[in-house]
Amino acid sequence: MTWQQTIDEEKEISYEEGKAEKAIEVAENFLKMGVNTPEQISQAIGLPLEQVLQIKENLSVKA
């Protein structure tokens, strides 16, 4: 693997991690606002339903 390939791979990993973090943030915001059901949020932003339900549970514990 070349140096450039390594850099490109690291960029892709960072991009995917950032996308995942943003999706979680959006799910949290939707749940806090009570805008949609967990099922609708899961479908809209592409997170697994189980993950959205876990986020909802975590928000309930913090409240």
Side-chain angles (χ1 to χ4, degrees), residues 10-57:
E10 289 298 319
K11 283 181 183 178
E12 180 66 25
I13 291 169
S14 295
Y15 174 77
E16 291 301 322
E17 288 174 353
K19 258 178 48 176
E21 289 174 13
K22 188 63 178 176
I24 291 168
E25 180 182 333
V26 170
E28 287 176 352
N29 289 337
F30 277 148
L31 290 165
K32 287 176 186 176
M33 293 168 48
V35 174
N36 299 87
T37 66
E39 292 81 5
Q40 291 169 323
I41 293 169
S42 171
Q43 187 177 15
I45 62 177
L47 285 176
L49 177 58
E50 296 78 21
Q51 189 172 4
V52 175
L53 293 172
Q54 183 63 48
I55 292 167
K56 182 178 180 179
E57 183 177 316

